[in-house]
Amino acid sequence: MKLKIEKLGRIQRAEIDVRPLTVLIGPNNTNKTWTAYAMYGLLQFLSKKLTGINFVGEPGEEVTDTTRARLKEAVKPFIAALNAEPTPSRLEYVINVLHEDTDYDFIHVMDHESIYRLLGVRNQGKSKASASLRLSPTELATSILSFELVFEKSLNRLEIKTNRRRTLEDGKTEDSSVLTSRINETWTEQKVFEMLHSQFWNRIEHVIVFPAERNGILPIWPLITVSDKIEIPFPVVEFARFLGIAQATAPVGLMNSSQSHLSALLKKVLGGEIAYVSIQDQKRLVFRTGNAEVPLQVAASLSRAVAGLSIYIERFFQPDDTLIIDELEMNAHPQAQVALTEFIAALVNAGVRVVLTTHSPYVVDHLNNLMEASRAAAEKREELAQKFTLKTPSSFISPEKVAVHAFQEESPEGEVTVREVLNRQTGLIDWSTFSRVSEHITNLYSDILRSSEEDT
C-alpha cells in the first residue's frame, strides 16, 4: 500500500509505504496523528461493519471508471428485466466472478473538504490538503466471488447477497456472505447501480481506530455518540461508537486458536483481564485480576488505555482487519511498553494490519529486537523467546512486514518531511529522532558538572 499526502498541516508532500505494521515516529506537532487519521478515513471506505457515518472521499478516477463500466455492463440484464412490462413479482439474478481479471490497483482519494471533516476542524486556511491510498488486489485479503440480486415487487425491496472469499495466513480460503436489503418506492438504474457499487468496495471486515483520547472516552462514550454540538475528530466519534456496539455484541462462543493466543498475551501485558459485568441491568467494564475486580474507570491507566484492544480481540477479531492506534505506549511503564510492542507484533503475525504512532524509544528499540529475532534458526526460536517479556516466538516479526517513518521538522514551526528510517539492508531502525534528545540530556549534564567544578 502507498499513502500519499499533500499540504496536510505542516507536511507539503509525503509518500508512505504502508506494510502490515507501519510505525510513525517523530516530535509532537508534526502531523503524525493527522496522517494516521487520513489512513483510517481512506481504509474505512473498504469496510462498513462498524462505521456510523457516511464514507469520506471517493475511489480514484481510474478505478471508478473501470469499476463502473464493468458493473454497469454486468447488471444490464437485471435492469432490463426490472423495467419490463409487466414487472415480475420476483426477480432473481446472479453476477458471477468480477475480481479474477482485476489487474489494476485500487485508488481511494480524499480532498481537503473530506479531510477536514474527518479531522473535525474547519479549514481556516487556503490549504488544499489531499490524501490518496493505492493498494493492489493482492493486498486485499477478501475478494468478491459473486452478487446475488433478488427484487420483490410487492415490497419494492432489493436484496443483494455478496459472496466473498477470504485468503487466510496459511494460504487456505474461507467463504462467507453478506446480505444487504433496501426498500425504495422507485428503483431506478442509478439506485440499483449505486447499491451494487457500494457492495463491491466492501473488502475489509473491520477498520477500527484507537485515538489518543481513548482513556477519557471510556466513561462518557454515550454522550459523544449523540452530540452534534461539538467539533471533534471523526475517529474519536467512531471509537465511542465502537464501544457502544461492543457493549451490545456478545463475545464469540469459542475463540479460534489465534484469538485465544492473543487474548492470553494481552492478559500477560495487563496482569489481568478486561471484562463486561451486568450491574442493574446494564453492562459495565471492569478490570479483573485474581479474585479482585474494580470498575474500569478507577483501574490503572494502562488497563483503560488497552481496554479497546481487549474488547476487539474478544468480540471482533478477524485476520484481515486494520487497526489504527494513536500513541500505543500511552500511560504505560517502560516494561509494559516492551510487552505491548511484542503483543502488537504477534497481532500483525496473526494477519491484522496495524498503523500506530509512538513517541517511545522503548517501542522502537524493542521492535529492532523482534525483527532481529525473526532471523533466528527455527530450532532456537523457542529458547530465545524465553528471554522476551511475553515469551512467545509469535512476536518475532520479519522486517519485510514493517515500515517505520520519521516525521521531522526542517526548522522550528517549519515544514515537516517524512522519511522511512528502517534500513532494508540491515533491518534496523534509525531512531535519531529520540537519540538527539538523549544526547542533549547527556551533554547538558556534562555542562552542569563542568559548571559546578568551575564554581569550586
Side-chain angles (χ1 to χ4, degrees), residues 164-406:
R164 307 188 301 175
R165 173 165 293 166
R166 178 186 300 139
T167 303
L168 306 178
E169 276 286 290
D170 58 6
K172 295 180 180 179
T173 58
E174 179 182 79
D175 292 352
S176 63
S177 299
V178 177
L179 186 65
T180 304
S181 176
R182 292 182 190 170
I183 295 175
N184 261 308
E185 190 170 320
T186 304
W187 278 103
T188 64
E189 179 178 355
Q190 184 62 23
K191 288 178 181 178
V192 173
F193 170 74
E194 286 177 356
M195 185 174 172
L196 185 64
H197 188 251
S198 174
Q199 296 308 304
F200 178 82
W201 287 99
N202 191 7
R203 301 301 186 94
I204 301 177
E205 196 72 12
H206 303 111
V207 178
I208 304 175
V209 62
F210 301 92
E213 299 89 342
R214 54 190 178 273
N215 276 24
I217 295 171
L218 277 167
I220 63 168
W221 64 260
L223 301 177
I224 293 175
T225 56
V226 299
S227 175
D228 58 358
K229 297 182 179 179
I230 54 177
E231 286 187 342
I232 54 179
F234 173 33
V236 173
V237 176
E238 287 294 85
F239 179 67
R241 189 171 183 277
F242 161 75
L243 293 173
I245 294 173
Q247 189 183 71
T249 302
V252 295
L254 182 64
M255 290 188 180
N256 60 40
S257 58
S258 293
Q259 204 171 8
S260 296
H261 177 62
L262 291 168
S263 179
L265 292 183
L266 197 54
K267 288 176 183 177
K268 284 186 179 180
V269 174
L270 293 172
E273 63 177 339
I274 309 295
Y276 278 104
V277 298
S278 295
I279 301 175
Q280 296 179 347
D281 296 328
Q282 290 187 327
K283 289 182 180 178
R284 292 287 186 267
L285 283 168
V286 299
F287 175 72
R288 187 181 294 149
T289 178
N291 295 323
E293 182 179 285
V294 296
L296 188 60
Q297 63 267 26
V298 296
S301 55
L302 173 64
S303 300
R304 286 180 275 128
V306 181
L309 268 175
S310 177
I311 293 168
Y312 161 73
I313 295 297
E314 181 188 17
R315 296 175 184 233
F316 300 103
F317 168 82
Q318 292 291 344
D320 61 342
D321 293 342
T322 297
L323 307 184
I324 311 292
I325 307 174
D326 195 14
E327 297 188 24
L328 171 70
E329 75 282 0
M330 187 175 58
N331 301 120
H333 181 276
Q335 187 60 48
Q337 293 181 36
V338 168
L340 270 175
T341 306
E342 293 180 22
F343 172 78
I344 292 297
L347 185 61
V348 172
N349 284 331
V352 176
R353 188 180 300 273
V354 176
V355 177
L356 65 88
T357 73
T358 182
H359 296 108
S360 170
Y362 303 107
V363 170
V364 175
D365 255 357
H366 201 47
L367 189 53
N368 273 330
N369 291 335
L370 295 172
M371 289 190 292
E372 190 60 33
S374 73
R375 305 175 194 272
E379 63 273 14
K380 300 230 180 232
R381 291 164 66 88
E382 199 64 51
E383 179 184 351
L384 182 59
Q386 300 312 304
K387 300 179 184 294
F388 285 74
T389 304
L390 298 184
K391 303 184 185 305
T392 174
S394 65
S395 293
F396 299 166
I397 187 167
S398 166
E400 290 304 308
K401 289 186 175 182
V402 181
V404 183
H405 297 274

Side-chain angles (χ1 to χ4, degrees), residues 18 48-49 55 115 177 229 235 248 318 347 354 423 433 448:
V18 180
K48 302 178 182 178
K49 201 74 175 271
F55 301 114
I115 289 174
S177 299
K229 297 182 179 179
Q318 292 291 344
L347 185 61
V354 176
N423 188 312
T433 181
I448 294 170

